[in-house]
């Protein structure tokens, strides 16, 4: 029987040898799981090293050094150094507060507890308001008062010794964590920083191509903006920690901060242009389609400017230098080309011509901001550069209202548990009080603090059971530090490994902190079963009370909190209207996006609330940014050519500046009607100032820019996808629906 000629070609490939499969499996494990296990071994080694040094130095409680290692542990050494720096600062400030409080109130425990509660509440406000490692310094300032101050108040004579011992134990833990992280298989922050920068630049290139190419829908734009907000905050967090470990990053710190600010401004420009074109697309008039057809060729020319000769998109800083040259040449020629296109248009209305002028002005601003962003990116190849000079630093801040609530919650929790401690005489009541206050501060920044506290509590249950077994069945059989370290290692490795898994991180954190607290003996070991159970119960009670406090005392996950943040989001427009112009655009951008990030974290499981919040963010960004540019343009006119506009135009523009903040402060039909009327009046006045008579090109261009800002504000107010649409007379429902035809791009 004849075999087919292609039998060999169709035969299945021979299976790989066992050795090949083993090598592939090992390579895959090293790439995916290897870094986690290296991190686990490093942190456990650092913790046990700190514990051994604590015993060698005859410190009162060496376990505090071990716990410090687990508290400051981070994957990158820069993050450890940053967190350790603020931990030391917080501990020193808290130590000073202890000395003051013990000196004033040692004889009156009630006043001491009241002063401690107020101090911890104040520190919690600072911790909740600052969402980077700086917040940890505030936490430690309060936590130190609770941890050392309560025992010191009972025995004032040991206050100074307790403070010095505590600072020494923390210092030992910090030094061990920092040295091990930096010397043993170090993981630097710089590579992660480079990945974020490159990934964001390439993602933005894709967004520009899709947005200006006409393939982006509103839902996709919302998701991309949410991701960009996270990238902005992530890059700033990495930058602020990387400067502790890498001198090259320190030399480029100003440019990295500048890139964040330029990226925010650029993404706002692209979004504004996209939304304007969406509105034109929703307009069936022939003139609107003529404007779209006139601008489409320019949109298609942008993405090739960000593409290498090989056809691949620009990614590295070295590639960006060539892209910056192409963008500079394109930006130089764009105004002349746009004027030539404008002269050929046959539009039947002033409104259509305004659409073209506004869109072309936005396009020029996009190219201008993109050129600046690309220049800064390209400058990173050089150690020193003039673009390093940058004053504005993006600093994420939580709403002060939310922070004050968190502070009040921590104070109330501490006062309630302290009152119970004093009334009941519970020997471990101080442990319950100080841990509840600490966790109120630590978890207040979490999206769902009650849930975070519950997961830590489950870890504490495991720590209490395992700690009892270790304390009364294993430790009495051990002899010396090395046997103790070998016995502790399995549980500590399991705990640190859990912290590397996002789903189990809370359980791991509970074990990391509270298993050593319960199971690791002091230099003078005490085997007291009743005392152990008292402390274990106190820890559980503190976490249960903390979780209940988060559920009952104005929980941050309620709709009320989201509405407060939305109100502050809208208030950004008020600041845009009346804030000082110096760096106002940068402050507006960072403030708006930071508030949106907070809302995004709180509404992860509530899509309706999130969608409405995104609607307000887009409306705030569009109108607020346009008002800032309008004010900047008018400031230049008033300074250099005050007669360019008549008094009636200035009066109309002032009315607009009053009615728009009123609209965002109290959205309603009346405020919406007043804002639209003021905007229309300002447009008419500026059009009269332009007039049909001859003006110099610079003067006409200035007035046309002013007019384009006013026109863009009007289109944003009338946008059917904006929450403001429901405030219009006859407006039908919230049009934040991507099924709306206007959600497609105009081009």
């Amino acid at each position: 029987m004849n075999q087919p000629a292609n039998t060999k070609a169709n035969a299945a490939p021979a299976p790989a040898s066992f050795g090949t499969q083993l090598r592939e499996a090992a390579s895959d494990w090293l790439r995916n799981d290897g870094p986690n296990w290296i991190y686990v071994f490093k942190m456990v080694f650092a913790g046990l090293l700190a514990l051994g040094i604590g015993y060698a130095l005859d410190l009162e409680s060496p376990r505090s050094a071990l716990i410090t290692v687990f508290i400051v542990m981070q994957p990158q050494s820069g993050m450890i150094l940053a967190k350790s720096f603020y931990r030391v600062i917080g501990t020193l400030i808290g130590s000073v507060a202890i000395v003051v409080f013990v000196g004033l109130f040692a004889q009156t425990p009630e006043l001491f507890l009241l002063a401690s509660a107020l101090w911890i509440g104040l520190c919690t406000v600072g911790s909740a308001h600052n969402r980077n490692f700086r917040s940890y310094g505030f936490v430690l300032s309060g936590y130190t008062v609770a941890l050392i101050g309560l025992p010191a108040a009972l025995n004032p004579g040991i206050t100074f010794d307790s403070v010095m011992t505590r600072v020494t134990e923390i210092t030992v833990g910090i030094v061990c964590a920092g040295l091990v992280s930096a010397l043993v298989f170090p993981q630097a922050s710089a590579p992660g920083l480079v990945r974020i920068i490159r990934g964001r630049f390439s993602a933005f290139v894709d967004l520009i191509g899709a947005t200006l190419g006409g393939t982006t829908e509103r839902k996709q734009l919302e998701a991309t903006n949410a991701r960009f907000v996270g990238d902005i905050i992530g890059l700033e967090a990495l930058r602020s920690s990387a400067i502790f470990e890498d001198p090259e990053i320190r030399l480029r710190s100003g440019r990295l901060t500048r890139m964040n600010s330029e990226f925010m401004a650029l993404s706002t420009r692209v979004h504004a242009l996209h939304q304007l074109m969406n509105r034109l697309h929703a307009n069936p008039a022939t003139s609107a389609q003529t404007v779209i057809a006139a601008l489409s060729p320019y949109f298609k020319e942008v993405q090739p400017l960000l593409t290498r000769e090989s056809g691949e998109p620009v990614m590295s800083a070295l590639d960006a230098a060539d892209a910056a040259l192409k963008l500079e040449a394109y930006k130089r020629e764009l105004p002349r080309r746009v004027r030539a296109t404008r002269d050929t248009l046959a539009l039947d209305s002033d409104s259509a011509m305004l659409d073209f002028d506004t869109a072309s002005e936005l396009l020029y601003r996009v190219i201008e901001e993109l050129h600046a962003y690309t220049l800064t990116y390209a400058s990173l190849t050089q150690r020193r550069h003039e673009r390093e000079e940058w004053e504005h630093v993006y600093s994420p801040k939580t709403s002060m209202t939310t922070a004050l609530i968190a502070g009040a919650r921590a104070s109330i929790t501490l006062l309630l548990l302290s009152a119970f401690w004093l009334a009941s005489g519970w020997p471990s009541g101080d442990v319950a009080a100080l841990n509840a206050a600490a966790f109120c501060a630590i978890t207040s920044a979490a999206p769902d603090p009650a849930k975070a506290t519950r997961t830590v509590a489950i870890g504490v249950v495991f720590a209490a059971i395992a700690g009892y077994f270790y304390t009364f069945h294993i430790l009495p059989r051990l002899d010396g530090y090395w046997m103790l370290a070998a016995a502790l290692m399995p549980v500590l490795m399991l705990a640190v490994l859990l912290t590397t898994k996002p789903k189990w991180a809370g359980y791991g954190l509970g074990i990391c902190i509270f298993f050593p607290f319960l199971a690791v003996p002091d230099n003078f070991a005490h085997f007291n079963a009743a005392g152990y159970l008292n402390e274990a119960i106190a820890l559980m009670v503190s976490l249960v009370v903390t979780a209940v406090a988060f559920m009952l005392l104005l929980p941050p996950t309620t709709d009320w909190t989201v509405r407060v943040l939305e109100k502050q989001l809208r208030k950004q427009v008020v600041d845009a209207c009346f804030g000082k112009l110096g760096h106002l655009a940068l402050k507006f951008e960072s403030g708006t996006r930071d508030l949106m990030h907070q809302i995004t974290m709180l509404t992860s499981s509530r899509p309706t609330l999130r969608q409405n919040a995104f609607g307000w963010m887009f409306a705030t960004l569009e109108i607020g940014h346009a008002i800032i540019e309008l004010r900047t343009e008018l400031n230049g006119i008033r300074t250099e050519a005050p007669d360019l506009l008549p008094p009636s135009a200035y009066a109309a523009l002032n009315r607009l500046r009053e009615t728009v903040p009123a609209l965002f402060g109290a959205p309603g039909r009346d405020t919406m009607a007043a804002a639209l009327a003021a905007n229309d009046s300002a447009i008419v006045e500026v059009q009269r100032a332009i007039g049909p008579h001859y003006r110099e090109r610079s003067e006409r261009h200035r007035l046309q820019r002013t007019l384009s800002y006013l026109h863009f504000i009007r289109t944003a107010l009338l946008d059917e996808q904006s929450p403001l649409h429901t405030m219009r007379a006859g407006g039908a429902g919230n049009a934040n629906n991507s099924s709306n035809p206007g959600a497609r791009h105009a081009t």
Side-chain angles (χ1 to χ4, degrees), residues 648-720:
S648 57
Y650 287 119
L653 290 164
N654 286 334
R655 281 197 299 275
L656 176 66
R657 192 177 167 189
E658 295 169 358
T659 54
V660 169
L663 169 62
F664 277 80
R669 293 198 172 189
D670 292 341
T671 51
M672 180 66 169
L676 278 173
N679 184 267
D680 290 342
S681 175
I683 288 176
V684 170
E685 291 293 340
V686 175
Q687 283 176 327
R688 285 177 183 166
I690 295 175
H693 49 274
Y694 170 79
R695 281 192 180 277
E696 291 184 7
R697 177 180 292 178
S698 60
E699 292 182 347
R700 181 172 290 275
H701 192 197
R702 244 179 179 171
L703 293 174
Q704 284 178 340
R705 277 203 305 266
T706 303
L707 196 58
S708 68
Y709 299 142
L710 291 169
H711 182 64
F712 181 79
I713 293 171
R714 185 176 188 278
T715 61
L717 290 172
L718 296 175
D719 184 7
E720 293 187 354

Side-chain angles (χ1 to χ4, degrees), residues 219 511 628:
K219 279 188 176 179
I511 300 171
I628 291 172

Side-chain angles (χ1 to χ4, degrees), residues 68 71-72 80-96 133-142 144 148 163 166-176 178 244:
T68 296
I71 288 177
V72 302
I80 288 180
L81 293 173
K83 197 171 184 180
S84 300
F85 173 78
Y86 288 113
R87 180 174 174 83
V88 170
I89 295 297
T91 302
L92 292 176
I93 294 174
S95 300
V96 173
F133 286 138
R134 200 176 296 123
S135 70
Y136 193 61
F138 284 98
V139 170
L140 263 296
S141 297
T144 301
I148 308 175
V163 168
R166 172 68 175 169
V167 172
T168 303
E169 291 162 356
I170 288 175
T171 303
V172 168
I174 287 173
V175 170
C176 290
F244 282 88

Side-chain angles (χ1 to χ4, degrees), residues 13-178:
S17 66
F18 176 75
T20 302
Q21 293 180 12
L22 188 62
R23 283 194 299 272
E24 290 178 353
S27 176
D28 183 68
W29 183 88
L30 285 173
R31 186 170 53 254
N32 297 318
D33 295 331
N36 286 343
W37 280 102
I38 290 174
Y39 170 69
V40 169
F41 280 106
K42 284 171 59 176
M43 288 301 102
V44 173
F45 173 64
L48 294 177
L49 177 63
L51 182 65
I53 293 174
Y55 283 126
L57 294 177
D58 201 26
L59 297 178
E60 180 183 347
S61 181
R63 63 186 177 187
S64 295
L66 170 62
I67 293 172
T68 296
V69 171
F70 292 142
I71 288 177
V72 302
M73 64 182 180
Q74 296 287 331
Q76 286 87 24
S77 55
M79 290 185 172
I80 288 180
L81 293 173
K83 197 171 184 180
S84 300
F85 173 78
Y86 288 113
R87 180 174 174 83
V88 170
I89 295 297
T91 302
L92 292 176
I93 294 174
S95 300
V96 173
I98 290 169
V99 174
V100 173
F101 291 167
V102 171
L104 293 174
F105 308 117
Q107 305 302 319
T108 50
E110 295 83 5
L111 289 179
F112 178 87
L113 289 172
L114 179 61
S116 298
L118 293 175
W119 173 260
I120 289 172
L122 183 64
C123 291
T124 303
V125 171
S127 171
H129 188 54
N130 295 271
R131 292 201 317 280
N132 46 27
F133 286 138
R134 200 176 296 123
S135 70
Y136 193 61
F138 284 98
V139 170
L140 263 296
S141 297
Y143 183 66
T144 301
V145 168
L147 186 64
I148 308 175
L150 294 180
L154 301 176
N155 191 352
I158 65 168
T159 299
F160 183 77
D161 291 340
S162 297
V163 168
M164 294 306 299
T165 301
R166 172 68 175 169
V167 172
T168 303
E169 291 162 356
I170 288 175
T171 303
V172 168
I174 287 173
V175 170
C176 290

Side-chain angles (χ1 to χ4, degrees), residues 501-665:
K501 314 292 182 184
K503 185 178 179 180
W504 305 96
Y507 310 125
L509 182 63
I511 300 171
C512 278
I513 295 176
F514 294 107
F515 173 73
F517 180 81
L518 293 168
V520 177
D522 291 333
N523 252 317
F524 298 98
H526 300 282
F527 296 95
N528 181 350
Y532 180 95
L533 291 175
N534 256 318
E535 288 199 345
I537 291 171
L539 293 177
M540 289 305 306
V541 167
S542 68
L543 292 171
V544 169
V545 170
T546 300
V548 171
F550 277 115
M551 290 187 287
L552 297 181
L553 301 176
L554 289 176
T557 53
T558 58
D559 293 354
W560 177 85
T561 307
V562 178
R563 287 195 297 272
V564 168
L565 290 174
E566 273 189 8
K567 186 175 181 180
Q568 292 183 335
L569 188 66
R570 297 197 304 270
K571 186 178 178 294
Q572 290 292 108
V573 177
V574 181
D575 296 338
C577 288
F578 298 108
K580 293 183 178 180
L581 282 176
H583 298 301
L584 180 59
L586 297 174
K587 294 175 183 175
F588 171 80
E589 290 278 0
S590 58
T592 301
R593 293 179 188 278
D594 189 48
L595 285 166
M596 193 60 229
H597 176 70
Q598 296 176 54
I599 294 173
T600 301
M601 297 295 290
L602 290 175
T603 57
S604 56
S605 59
R606 292 175 284 178
T608 303
L609 273 176
R610 174 180 286 196
Q611 189 176 16
N612 187 63
F614 264 109
W616 279 116
M617 185 193 81
F618 288 144
T620 298
L621 277 176
E622 292 174 28
I623 296 175
H625 209 283
I627 285 176
I628 291 172
E629 295 199 319
L630 176 63
R631 288 183 59 200
T632 303
E633 192 69 49
L634 289 174
N635 186 59
I637 291 174
R638 284 193 175 99
T639 304
E640 300 168 15
D643 296 333
L644 200 57
L645 287 171
S648 57
Y650 287 119
L653 290 164
N654 286 334
R655 281 197 299 275
L656 176 66
R657 192 177 167 189
E658 295 169 358
T659 54
V660 169
L663 169 62
F664 277 80

